Amino acid sequence: MNQQSLTVTGKERYRSGVMEYRKMGYWEPDYVPKDTDIIALFRITPQDGVDEIEAAAAVAGESSTATWTVVWTDRLTAAEKYRAKAYRVDPVPNAPGSFFAYIAYDLDLFEPGSIANLTASIIGNVFGFKPLKALRLEDMRLPTAYVKTFQGPATGIVVERERLNCFGRPLLGATVKPKLGLSGRNYGRVVYEALKGGLDFTKDDENINSQPFMHWRDRFLYCMEAVNKAQAATGEVKGTYLNVTAGTMEDMYERAEFAAELGSCIVMIDLVIGYTAIQSMAKWARRNDMILHLHRAGHSTYTRQRIHGVSFRVIAKWMRLAGIDHIHAGTVVGKLEGDPATTRGYYDICREDHNPQKLEHGIFFDQPWASLNKMMPVASGGIHAGQMHQLLDHLGEDVVLQFGGGTIGHPMGIQAGATANRVALEAMIMARNEGRDYLHEGPEILAKAAQSCSPLKAALETWGNVAFNYESTDAPDFAPVASVSM
Ligand SMILES: O=C(COP(=O)(O)O)[C@H](O)[C@H](O)COP(=O)(O)O
Ligand SMILES: [Mg+2]
């Protein structure tokens, strides 16, 4: 592999016509990234006959200053500085035809505090570029100087726990089911039963907005009545994520304001509303002392395949910058995609002050978070009480465990479903706190707790053996290798 600089200099560089990207200055193997540079790691799969260095240089070019031909107007700018620089290309181990390309971008290329601006460069035109068969954004290093231009999570894990008065255990939630079709009053009944039975939160599903069968105001009114009644009945702080996703920003603000007026401690949005709308809602949430929950609806359309799209670890980083408090981050054991090591990487991005490089979890760079609040990961999608030991082991304590079908589908009713989950969780936390090997003794711990809790007994009988054992499509297909330090 040619690791020499090929950049053409002097008068020749600006001769009109087409010049390879690597000759235009987008391939600089000697470049040492500055502390303030943004670094992107792409997995590139060039078309047959396109060499990897040219492909990497093209990605650097098309995601920064270049077009397909030489333009003399470059000379009116600090072009050497503004050009993104591909500085390292490694073959992906065990994946012939794929390469990791490291590209550094000067901080000046980006507007402070704007995910929209960042993404317009990094995942803009370049993903449709013909010389590439496929392109995947695997990871990014966001420098402190850039991180500090964002607000970060509106509330954060510490303050969320203080507001909820809940410490030392994962939070418990449930998604109201069926996803669509319930009237406001029946919907509120589901919320009340689930909260009264022992959950901390219930939530709207991603596609509940304001449909003919239940307009949003009805939902909010019945849900908050249920929250207030459940709080009075249990003496605990409860919440329900009111989904304020709507067709316009104005509608979302109107819904969020009504939620605040009714005393809700949390509102919810879907990833599909877009980065700018997400940032606006995060600012609103900070101004209004509101926890902001994000459902990642839509992400699998571009995060799931190893060779093309954007890794969810990058989306998680962008969302921490943008100001989300809760983010769906996978369950490992549930019904949706989730390789254990890769998922662990996502959770670390949400919850650590600083992420050290950890290739085995898909973390390619040291990532400082520069005092931005932490995001609470949410585990949701096909989980049930019988998996409590595995969930605690994989996901830790600062997480919302969210059982939709696994609460509402309980044979003895919704309250019983909630109680089964609360008892299973508390039994597991007690075992952990007593120093027991709860992962291996898990089934035994649950069986013992079920002896004095008939809802848990019924949950284990109904779902105890349900598992979703499929091969992951997003586990690394390469053995992690020690990387060269930058
Ligand atoms: O409705 C559910 C889960 O319902 P149930 O608990 O009945 O399966 C959520 O939309 C998924 O969590 C989304 O997936 P993810 O959290 O992975 O984004
Ligand atoms: Mg859902």
Side-chain angles (χ1 to χ4, degrees):
M1 195 182 298
N2 186 348
Q3 299 278 3
Q4 313 287 308
S5 172
L6 303 164
T7 306
V8 175
T9 53
K11 238 175 143 185
E12 282 304 300
R13 168 65 181 82
Y14 291 101
R15 187 186 292 282
S16 292
V18 175
M19 183 185 284
E20 286 172 310
Y21 290 90
R22 58 186 156 181
K23 293 189 178 160
M24 291 198 285
Y26 297 103
W27 165 242
E28 293 290 358
D30 298 329
Y31 183 72
V32 179
K34 300 194 291 277
D35 286 348
T36 53
D37 283 351
I38 287 178
I39 303 173
L41 172 69
F42 289 95
R43 177 180 175 141
I44 53 175
T45 308
Q47 296 275 17
D48 299 340
V50 177
D51 85 71
E52 59 275 16
I53 300 290
E54 179 60 9
V59 171
E62 290 289 332
S63 60
S64 60
T65 56
T67 185
W68 58 278
T69 185
V70 172
V71 293
W72 67 267
T73 40
D74 267 347
R75 305 189 75 181
L76 302 176
T77 72
E80 286 78 19
K81 171 176 160 159
Y82 295 149
R83 273 179 207 131
K85 295 154 189 79
Y87 62 93
R88 178 175 157 192
V89 174
D90 300 334
V92 177
N94 307 320
S98 283
F99 300 85
F100 287 131
Y102 291 74
I103 299 178
Y105 300 81
D106 194 276
L107 192 55
D108 271 17
L109 294 170
F110 303 98
E111 176 174 346
S114 169
I115 303 287
N117 177 254
L118 177 74
T119 51
S121 282
I122 307 290
I123 57 167
N125 286 343
V126 67
F127 275 71
F129 201 49
K130 279 185 177 169
L132 304 171
K133 272 190 209 152
L135 181 64
R136 190 179 205 223
L137 180 58
E138 286 284 350
D139 201 359
M140 292 190 79
R141 196 282 304 264
L142 306 159
T144 302
Y146 185 66
V147 171
K148 278 308 220 187
T149 66
F150 287 87
Q151 161 191 296
T155 307
I157 291 180
V158 172
V159 175
E160 171 168 355
R161 284 200 177 279
E162 289 182 344
R163 288 193 194 153
L164 294 174
N165 193 30
C166 180
F167 306 93
R169 66 164 171 85
L171 298 161
L172 285 176
T175 318
V176 173
K177 302 284 172 176
K179 290 195 317 195
L180 299 174
L182 290 170
S183 68
R185 185 161 176 185
N186 283 332
Y187 200 92
R189 285 169 62 190
V190 176
V191 170
Y192 174 73
E193 297 277 324
L195 296 177
K196 165 87 183 339
L199 304 188
D200 305 294
F201 287 128
T202 47
K203 83 176 277 273
D204 293 339
D205 223 327
E206 67 280 359
N207 49 359
I208 273 284
N209 295 162
S210 191
Q211 283 99 326
F213 55 80
M214 178 175 56
H215 286 109
W216 66 274
R217 287 180 72 95
D218 282 337
R219 183 168 92 258
F220 286 21
L221 287 165
Y222 281 112
C223 282
M224 288 313 297
E225 182 187 32
V227 167
N228 291 333
K229 278 189 178 163
Q231 291 189 136
T234 60
E236 294 181 341
V237 182
K238 306 284 184 185
T240 194
Y241 321 159
L242 296 171
N243 191 352
V244 301
T245 296
T248 68
M249 222 38 239
E250 291 72 24
D251 288 338
M252 287 205 285
Y253 285 135
E254 185 189 353
R255 293 176 195 189
E257 265 146 32
F258 190 52
E261 211 177 291
L262 294 176
S264 183
C265 63
I266 186 161
V267 294
M268 159 179 172
I269 49 178
D270 293 336
L271 182 63
V272 290
I273 68 174
Y275 301 130
T276 297
I278 290 171
Q279 286 195 257
S280 292
M281 286 308 300
K283 290 199 168 160
W284 181 91
R286 170 118 354 137
R287 281 200 303 279
N288 288 275
D289 311 314
M290 195 66 86
I291 301 166
L292 185 60
H293 177 96
L294 180 86
H295 188 294
R296 57 179 176 168
H299 81 97
S300 290
T301 54
Y302 48 88
T303 59
R304 206 178 162 196
Q305 300 299 328
R306 289 182 192 114
I307 65 164
H308 192 80
V310 182
S311 164
F312 187 73
R313 77 180 61 86
V314 178
I315 306 291
K317 287 187 177 180
W318 293 345
M319 290 302 103
R320 187 162 174 185
L321 296 179
I324 291 305
D325 287 313
H326 279 194
I327 186 168
H328 285 236
T331 60
V332 181
V333 294
K335 69 184 179 186
L336 301 168
E337 176 62 37
D339 167 63
T342 309
T343 304
R344 183 58 204 274
Y346 309 156
Y347 274 65
D348 287 347
I349 286 166
C350 296
R351 300 187 296 202
E352 303 292 316
D353 287 326
H354 176 266
N355 301 132
Q357 183 196 54
K358 208 171 263 180
L359 295 174
E360 64 274 28
H361 295 164
I363 307 287
F364 285 80
F365 303 104
D366 289 354
Q367 175 60 55
W369 286 107
S371 308
L372 256 53
N373 284 340
K374 297 172 184 175
M375 285 191 296
M376 185 77 89
V378 177
S380 169
I383 56 175
H384 56 78
Q387 298 158 326
M388 203 56 87
H389 49 300
Q390 295 163 307
L391 291 166
L392 189 61
D393 177 60
H394 282 299
L395 311 176
E397 187 174 289
D398 279 331
V399 59
V400 186
L401 301 176
Q402 219 159 254
F403 307 82
T407 302
I408 291 144
H410 193 283
M412 292 160 68
I414 299 165
Q415 249 189 75
T419 303
N421 289 325
R422 179 76 175 258
V423 170
L425 177 65
E426 298 213 351
M428 211 52 68
I429 290 289
M430 186 189 270
R432 182 202 66 178
N433 292 352
E434 288 169 354
R436 289 177 67 181
D437 178 3
Y438 67 87
L439 179 60
H440 296 105
E441 296 171 31
E444 216 175 285
I445 294 163
L446 291 174
K448 175 90 195 308
Q451 283 172 8
S452 54
C453 176
S454 52
L456 179 55
K457 188 161 179 283
L460 297 175
E461 281 165 8
T462 309
W463 297 308
N465 297 322
V466 175
F468 298 90
N469 295 324
Y470 297 92
E471 199 189 330
S472 170
T473 58
D474 189 26
D477 53 354
F478 52 90
V481 284
S483 89
V484 181
S485 61
M486 289 169 318

